[in-house]
RNA sequence: GGGCGGUUAGCUCAGCUGGGAGAGCAACGGCUUUACACGCCGUAGGUCGCAGGUUCGAGCCCUGCACCGCCCACCA
């Protein structure tokens, strides 16, 4: 064994061995209780980033821990087809080749996407392997697998039959770059510098004008009204009369609506139902027309002056402003900063426009989900996220589920020439209403999240009644980043309750976002990303896992290389501690303690086991990992190994040491699987792997308690001061046990005595304070008395 | 605009229902007695963002303010 632990070859070896030996595999026919986590399916086009690495470390720690505890642990792997992202990648390729998806046609394009995926896609599972993630790789699923497509279709038909899916011409978020609508959740609001234009709309009867303010002058061409607040004195006399829309010269009414803010702008709002969500609502209520002047490609269309057709919105805006100025209708133009929706995928400014889309009414789906979260059947961690999820659910709005893409799940919707709609799981022969056989399938595909919502059960074979579904549903935990709480987590709860009649998981971990060291987001475009694969390369997967878990928190944290470094040191320390014992000669482990130091270390390990379990159960990985570090460095190495070092020649001393080491390795395994397994095989010839070794049982310590306590007190004083305290009877032995025999320091007895005296003074002062004794909680007073007694004891020991 | 979170040692972060300010790293000093210099022993370092308040007692509770960040949002 090399004194320097080198993770590189070791880690690959174990990753391969574990998988080959089938130790990652869950068994649907097992008698053991199940423990299930479905991995958030990464984009099939994606590569491992810091978020995946952190989340992988979290999930694998839980999975490995439960596997050792005797659970039938399933960590379900797989990919998401990521409609928009994947289609965009392939379209970019095509553009380079000087062609387009339209040249290829739908079928050939989809074929092309598959080809691309077979060549370049699906690399992340390999990267998860190199992190040591014990996913059941044999069970890999893809949201575009035939079986999965069937599940998605079933889901859609189910919702349709429930009457929750409907087709409507409504205003949507249109991305002219992706050429599709996107849902509200995929819109990112970004602060933008714009110009706001104040324009006069003359009254049709020549009696003055109303001034409106707009940041999008081109949409003036699609105005159908001007709205004012019903209680606004300034405009009351205009309501019911007509104004003339500039440029197009259209006569439109002045209407009253409470949604108009009197204080904002001029208090008069131009109404453009075709290109603004609020205006759309107002327009619908007032029965106004909904003309469009901006097309799906972002260029000007419609009933507008000929020369404007085909211009961009900006060009048209320039024309309109110039026109206003020349006609004397431009009051002013000011710079204006406000927040504007952008497509989170392409970064393009969202164009609100009216389009015929499929929508899903969410209220009936939301209700059971609300109940599930309120009752605690599904719990988010940290708990503040329960509130976040509930707030969203309470204000839920219809979901635009159709996308104007080709890559994805095509809607199981057919239309006949008479306009009848047929929704069916398989292609129908004829229209169910009129019998027409000339059916045309809807071109659109479903929102990627529509299929992702079925992930916890479609991966297990739903809608078929498979053994897997019976064995592994509902699952236990789901872990993700904050940004997909609504997009995915909450909707999975809705889908699970609706289709399976049960929640998909009990606990949702919303993990930390790891920021770049400078506090910005890690992102490729900013150049702030840190590649976890490089960390693994350099420091090892164990160190990386440790470091990431140490960084995890309930808040966002900055990446710090120090934490990874700490993990590397821990692995190396463990390695060398094992070397020490192995070089002295391997023997059969024997956990029966025969000295106080042996009782002490076994007690320490057991106490840490209990703390560790509590931390893991609370999904507090940073604290879990910190305790492992201290157990290894301080307790096991600095105290225990140093104290037994002179007696390592004795077999029974080593026997206990190996027993203690085995337990230590077990506790560390969920976090640092590779180095622990590597040491494990060196310990003794054994059949089983550490990955499936039983988790340590709680220990009982009859009759040893007092001795252990005393040992700990002695250790504490010695550590603090270097002072060797004098103890009586058996305690003298304890003292020898916990003081490093190689150490000859005596410390400064006077200084230590002074320190203890200070503590005594403090405690006495508090207890002398009548108000404290009278007002403080009795336990607090008692605790203070106890401390006083303890320090008095220490002082006596120092005498 | 609404909501949530943060501000603690040079850095990254802990500090449970209010009762002695912590860890790791970095810094400094000392250790080449063979597990580990990716080590060991030790030292120093903080008006807990600011200002008030409640309390016997506040990093923790309340109010206000200042920055930083996130989520949600139909103010043109």
């Amino acid at each position: 064994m090399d004194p320097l632990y080198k993770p590189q070859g070791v880690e690959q070896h174990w990753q391969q061995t574990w998988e080959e030996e089938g130790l990652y595999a869950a068994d649907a026919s097992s008698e053991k209780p199940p423990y299930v986590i479905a991995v958030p399916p990464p984009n099939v086009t994606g590569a491992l980033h810091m978020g995946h690495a952190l989340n992988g470390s979290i999930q694998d720690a839980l999975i490995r821990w439960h596997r050792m505890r005797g659970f039938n642990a399933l960590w379900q792997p797989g990919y998401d087809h990521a409609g928009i992202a994947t289609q965009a990648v392939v379209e970019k390729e095509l553009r380079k080749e000087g062609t387009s998806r339209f040249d290829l046609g739908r079928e050939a394009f989809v074929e092309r996407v598959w080809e691309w995926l077979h060549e370049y896609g699906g690399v992340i599972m390999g990267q998860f392997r190199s992190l040591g993630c014990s996913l059941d790789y044999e069970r890999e699923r893809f949201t575009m697998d035939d079986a999965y497509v069937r599940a998605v279709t079933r889901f859609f038909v189910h919702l349709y039959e429930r009457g929750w899916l409907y087709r409507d011409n409504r205003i949507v978020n249109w991305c002219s770059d992706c050429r599709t609508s996107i849902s509200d959740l995929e819109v990112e609001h970004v602060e933008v510098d714009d110009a706001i234009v104040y324009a006069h709309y003359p009254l049709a009867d020549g009696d003055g004008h109303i001034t409106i303010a707009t940041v999008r002058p081109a949409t003036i061409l699609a105005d159908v009204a001007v709205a004012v607040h019903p209680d606004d004195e300034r405009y009351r006399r205009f309501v019911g009369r007509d104004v003339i829309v500039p440029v197009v010269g259209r006569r439109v009414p002045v209407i009253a609506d409470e949604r108009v803010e009197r204080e904002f702008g001029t208090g008069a709002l131009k109404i453009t139902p075709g290109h603004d969500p609020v205006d759309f609502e107002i327009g619908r209520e007032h029965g106004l027309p909904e003309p469009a002047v901006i097309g799906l490609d972002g260029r000007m269309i419609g009933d507008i002056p000929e020369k404007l057709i085909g211009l961009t919105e900006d060009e048209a805006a320039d024309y309109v402003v110039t026109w206003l100025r020349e006609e004397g209708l431009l009051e002013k133009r000011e710079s204006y900063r406000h927040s504007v929706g952008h497509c989170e995928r392409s970064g393009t400014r969202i164009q609100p426009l009216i389009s015929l889309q499929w929508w899903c009414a969410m209220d009936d789906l939301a209700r059971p989900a609300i109940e599930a979260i309120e009752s605690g059947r599904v719990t988010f961690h940290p708990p503040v996220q329960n509130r976040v999820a509930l707030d969203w659910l309470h204000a839920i709005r219809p979901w635009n589920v159709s996308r104007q893409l080709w890559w994805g799940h095509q809607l199981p919707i057919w239309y006949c020439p008479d306009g009848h709609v047929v929704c069916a799981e398989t292609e129908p022969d004829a229209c169910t209403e009129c019998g027409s056989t000339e059916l045309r399938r809807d071109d659109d595909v479903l929102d990627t999240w529509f299929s992702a919502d079925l992930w916890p059960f479609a991966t297990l074979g739903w809608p078929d009644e498979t053994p897997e579904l019976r064995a592994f549903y509902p699952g236990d935990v789901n872990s993700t980043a904050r940004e997909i709480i609504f997009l995915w987590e909450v909707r999975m709860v809705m889908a699970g309750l609706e289709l399976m009649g049960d929640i998909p998981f009990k606990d949702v971990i919303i993990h930390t976002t790891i920021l770049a060291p400078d506090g910005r987001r890690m992102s490729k475009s900013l150049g702030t990303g840190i590649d976890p694969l490089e960390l693994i390369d350099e420091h090892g997967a164990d160190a990386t896992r440790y470091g990431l878990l140490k960084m995890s928190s309930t808040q966002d944290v900055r990446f710090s290389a120090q934490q990874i470094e700490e993990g590397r040191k821990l692995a190396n320390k463990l390695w060398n501690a094992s070397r020490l014992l192995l070089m002295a000669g391997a023997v059969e482990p024997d956990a029966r303690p025969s000295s106080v130091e042996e009782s002490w270390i076994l007690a320490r390990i057991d106490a840490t086991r209990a703390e560790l379990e509590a931390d893991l159960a609370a999904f507090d990985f940073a604290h879990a990992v910190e305790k492992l570090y201290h157990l290894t460095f301080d307790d096991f190495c600095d105290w225990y190994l140093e104290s037994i070092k002179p007696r390592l020649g004795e077999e029974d001393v080593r026997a206990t040491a190996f027993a203690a080491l085995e337990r230590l390795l077990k506790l560390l395994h969920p976090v640092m699987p590779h180095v622990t397994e590597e040491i494990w095989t060196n310990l003794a010839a054994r059949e089983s792997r550490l990955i499936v070794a039983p988790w340590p049982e709680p220990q009982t310590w009859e009759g040893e308690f007092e001795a252990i306590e005393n040992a700990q007190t002695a250790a504490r004083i010695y550590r603090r001061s270097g002072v060797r305290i004098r103890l009586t009877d058996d305690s003298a032995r304890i003292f020898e046990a916990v003081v490093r025999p190689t150490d000859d320091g005596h410390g400064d007895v006077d200084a230590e005595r002074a320190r203890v005296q200070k503590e005594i003074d403090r405690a006495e002062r508090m207890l002398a304070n009548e108000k404290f004794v009278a007002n403080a909680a009795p336990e607090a007073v008692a605790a203070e008395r106890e401390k006083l007694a303890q320090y008095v004891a220490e002082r006596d020991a120092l005498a």
Side-chain angles (χ1 to χ4, degrees):
Chain A
M1 286 174 90
D2 198 300
L4 182 62
Y5 172 63
K6 296 191 185 74
Q8 280 71 19
V10 173
E11 294 187 341
Q12 277 101 317
H13 167 73
W14 284 115
Q15 287 155 15
Q16 227 174 334
T17 305
W18 286 324
E19 202 178 335
E20 279 170 10
E21 292 179 354
L23 302 176
Y24 288 172
D27 177 4
S29 60
S30 168
E31 295 290 309
K32 297 181 196 169
Y35 182 79
V36 181
I37 302 177
V39 79
N43 286 3
V44 64
T45 55
L48 195 77
H49 60 54
M50 204 55 81
H52 296 127
L54 169 64
N55 204 8
S57 304
I58 287 172
Q59 294 169 83
D60 197 45
L62 292 172
I63 284 287
R64 284 180 185 269
W65 178 42
H66 281 87
R67 190 182 286 123
M68 292 175 78
R69 290 172 78 203
F71 285 82
N72 181 23
L74 168 61
W75 190 8
Q76 170 67 48
Y79 289 104
D80 188 271
H81 66 287
I84 299 180
T86 306
Q87 174 155 337
V89 169
V90 177
E91 284 200 81
K92 198 173 159 194
E93 289 265 307
L94 293 178
R95 222 170 298 135
K96 270 190 232 156
E97 296 166 16
T99 174
S100 76
R101 69 174 157 122
F102 300 104
D103 293 337
L104 276 113
R106 183 168 193 145
E107 208 173 313
F109 175 75
V110 170
E111 188 58 36
R112 180 65 192 262
V113 175
W114 279 107
E115 279 170 26
W116 191 93
L117 288 179
H118 287 135
E119 186 151 4
Y120 304 105
V123 299
I124 285 199
M125 288 306 138
Q127 297 170 332
F128 271 123
R129 281 181 173 92
S130 55
L131 188 62
C133 291
S134 57
L135 288 142
D136 189 351
Y137 295 99
E138 291 287 308
R139 295 180 189 274
E140 182 182 305
R141 296 288 181 273
F142 183 35
T143 52
M144 290 297 285
D145 288 343
D146 288 343
Y148 204 106
V149 171
R150 208 151 50 78
V152 174
T153 307
R154 169 70 65 91
F155 183 31
F156 188 94
V157 173
H158 175 92
L159 293 173
Y160 185 87
E161 285 171 354
R162 285 282 217 166
W164 298 338
L165 283 171
Y166 57 96
R167 199 181 186 214
D168 196 7
N169 247 313
R170 299 181 59 85
I171 197 141
V172 295
N173 307 297
W174 185 264
C175 173
S176 53
D177 195 48
C178 301
R179 288 194 163 242
T180 178
S181 67
I182 58 174
S183 74
D184 295 339
L185 292 176
E186 295 162 295
V187 174
E188 205 175 19
H189 292 264
V190 181
E191 289 273 299
V192 165
D193 285 312
D194 263 332
I196 187 163
V197 169
Y198 290 77
H200 292 177
Y201 281 35
L203 267 290
D205 53 22
D207 179 23
H209 65 265
I210 294 179
T211 305
I212 60 87
T214 181
V215 290
R216 302 183 58 196
T219 64
I220 286 176
L221 304 170
D223 280 357
V224 296
V226 167
V228 299
H229 194 277
D231 301 334
D232 194 332
E233 297 297 337
R234 296 171 297 175
Y235 296 115
R236 182 162 286 170
R237 67 191 185 91
F238 294 119
V239 175
R241 295 159 69 185
D242 287 347
V243 292
I244 304 294
V245 177
V247 185
V248 287
R250 187 162 45 235
R251 221 182 140 108
V252 303
V254 178
I255 60 175
D257 193 288
E258 288 182 342
R259 273 161 287 205
V260 180
E261 291 287 332
R262 277 174 281 186
E263 289 74 30
F264 192 85
T266 62
L269 174 64
K270 73 187 206 58
I271 300 298
T272 321
H275 297 293
D276 183 277
V278 189
D279 296 7
F280 178 82
E281 297 293 332
I282 295 175
R284 281 264 159 122
E285 271 175 42
H286 290 81
L288 298 169
E290 298 165 357
V293 294
I294 302 168
L296 299 182
D297 56 358
R299 301 208 169 243
M300 303 302 291
I301 57 166
D303 190 12
I304 57 175
E306 189 67 31
K307 64 189 113 173
L308 297 183
I309 302 281
L311 296 186
T312 64
E313 184 185 343
D314 284 348
E315 289 164 349
D318 287 344
Y319 176 89
V320 170
V321 172
T322 305
W323 190 95
L324 288 169
R325 187 179 291 121
E326 283 170 359
E327 295 293 320
L329 296 179
L330 180 68
E331 190 172 301
K332 59 181 173 178
R333 190 163 188 244
E334 294 173 339
S335 58
Y336 183 64
R337 191 171 174 78
H338 64 148
S339 118
V340 176
H342 287 68
C343 171
E344 67 169 11
R345 181 61 55 186
S346 68
T348 310
R349 197 162 168 152
I350 288 301
Q351 181 65 255
L353 48 78
I354 294 170
S355 129
L356 190 56
Q357 302 280 351
W358 282 90
W359 300 81
C360 185
M362 302 301 286
D363 302 278
D364 291 327
L365 285 164
R367 217 165 294 120
I370 289 170
E371 188 280 325
I373 296 170
E374 279 179 344
S375 69
R377 284 199 292 152
V378 174
T379 308
F380 286 73
H381 309 267
V384 66
Q385 302 298 351
N386 288 303
R387 192 76 255 152
V388 172
L390 284 170
D391 286 349
W392 183 74
L393 279 165
H394 281 298
I396 202 156
R397 289 183 297 181
W399 174 17
N400 171 207
V401 297
S402 48
R403 295 289 177 275
Q404 290 64 57
L405 304 171
W406 288 351
W407 174 243
H409 306 92
Q410 194 169 356
L411 270 60
I413 290 283
W414 286 262
Y415 307 102
C416 81
D418 288 345
H420 299 131
V421 176
V422 184
C423 178
E425 288 191 45
T426 52
E427 181 159 7
D429 298 325
C431 175
T432 45
E433 292 192 46
C434 66
S436 167
T437 54
E438 289 175 55
L439 293 176
R440 187 182 56 78
R441 188 167 184 177
D442 194 307
D443 284 327
D444 288 354
V445 302
L446 288 159
D447 182 357
T448 292
W449 296 104
F450 190 92
S451 47
D453 296 346
L454 311 178
W455 190 248
F457 45 94
T459 49
L460 301 174
W462 185 90
D464 295 337
E465 286 204 20
T466 60
E468 282 75 17
L469 204 55
R470 270 192 300 276
F472 300 122
Y473 194 92
D476 294 90
V477 167
N478 201 271
S479 176
T480 65
R482 244 186 340 245
E483 60 249 34
I484 54 178
I485 291 177
F486 311 136
L487 281 168
W488 195 46
E489 294 296 346
V490 177
R491 286 185 185 152
M492 275 192 287
V493 175
M494 291 192 261
L497 287 166
E498 175 64 22
L499 297 174
M500 297 293 298
D502 203 351
I503 52 169
F505 33 70
K506 303 176 190 78
D507 294 292
V508 180
I509 302 171
I510 302 300
H511 67 242
T512 294
T513 301
I514 297 183
L515 305 169
D518 63 5
R520 291 186 294 169
R521 282 189 90 80
M522 278 200 192
S523 98
K524 231 185 243 174
S525 55
L526 287 171
T528 50
I530 293 174
D531 185 355
L533 294 171
E534 283 177 21
L535 297 175
I536 293 171
D537 247 18
E538 205 177 329
H539 307 284
D542 288 336
T544 302
R545 294 162 62 114
Y546 175 94
L548 294 178
L549 291 176
K550 182 83 189 289
M551 279 176 236
S552 73
S553 166
T554 53
Q555 58 165 325
D556 291 353
V557 292
R558 299 175 180 212
F559 178 83
S560 88
Q562 291 164 5
Q563 313 294 353
I564 311 280
E565 194 64 32
E566 193 174 307
R568 201 170 67 147
K569 286 180 182 177
L570 178 56
N572 195 58
K573 188 72 174 176
L574 203 60
W575 180 253
N576 280 291
S578 309
R579 276 182 70 224
L580 173 68
L581 295 180
L582 285 166
M583 287 189 308
V587 292
E588 256 324 287
D590 181 351
R592 286 169 302 178
S594 57
S595 67
V596 179
E597 65 265 39
E598 289 175 352
S599 298
W600 180 79
I601 188 60
L602 291 168
R604 281 300 309 143
I605 291 172
D606 189 55
T608 306
R609 174 202 53 76
E611 290 171 7
L612 181 65
E613 287 174 359
D615 285 341
L616 290 176
F619 310 117
D620 183 351
F621 301 98
H623 284 109
V625 132
E626 192 179 6
K627 278 161 193 158
L628 289 170
Y629 183 91
H630 285 116
L631 178 66
T632 306
F633 268 80
D634 301 345
D635 299 335
F636 191 79
C637 294
D638 291 356
W639 284 104
Y640 174 63
L641 287 187
E642 290 300 339
S643 75
I644 62 165
K645 216 187 230 176
R647 294 187 287 127
L648 274 180
E650 300 168 29
E651 281 205 4
D652 57 332
V653 170
R654 293 207 302 281
T656 316
F658 278 114
L661 177 62
E662 285 194 351
R663 287 181 192 182
L664 180 64
L665 292 174
K666 286 179 176 184
L667 298 187
L668 278 155
H669 181 80
V671 175
M672 310 185 92
H674 307 89
V675 68
T676 50
E677 185 80 83
E678 178 71 11
I679 294 169
W680 182 261
T681 44
N682 278 300
L683 291 188
R686 57 181 71 250
E687 307 282 307
S688 77
R689 299 288 184 212
L690 178 56
I691 184 179
V692 288
W695 186 253
E697 292 294 326
Q699 305 290 299
T700 47
W701 304 99
E702 288 154 32
E704 294 273 5
F705 259 130
E706 205 184 334
I708 293 165
E709 287 292 308
N710 286 340
Q712 282 172 349
T713 300
R716 201 165 52 238
I717 293 176
Y718 181 77
R719 273 194 85 93
R720 209 161 51 209
S721 60
V723 170
R724 295 192 172 194
I725 60 168
R726 189 167 49 75
L727 297 168
T728 54
D729 310 317
D730 281 347
S731 303
R733 222 178 85 227
I734 298 161
F735 172 69
E736 290 305 325
V738 296
V739 171
R740 304 160 53 82
T742 56
D743 197 296
D744 60 351
H746 299 82
D748 185 338
V749 180
D750 291 337
E752 178 61 7
R753 206 177 284 137
R755 202 197 64 78
V756 172
Q757 189 57 48
K758 241 176 84 182
E759 297 293 351
I760 292 171
D761 293 345
R762 186 194 139 276
E764 283 180 340
R765 212 166 37 240
M766 270 184 90
L767 290 165
N769 180 348
E770 284 169 28
K771 286 178 176 173
F772 171 68
V773 179
N775 298 330
E779 310 86 67
V781 180
E784 214 51 50
R785 291 219 167 89
E786 210 168 294
K787 278 187 221 166
L788 178 60
Q790 192 198 317
Y791 284 118
V792 168
E794 283 192 22
R795 182 181 60 187
D796 295 346
L798 286 163

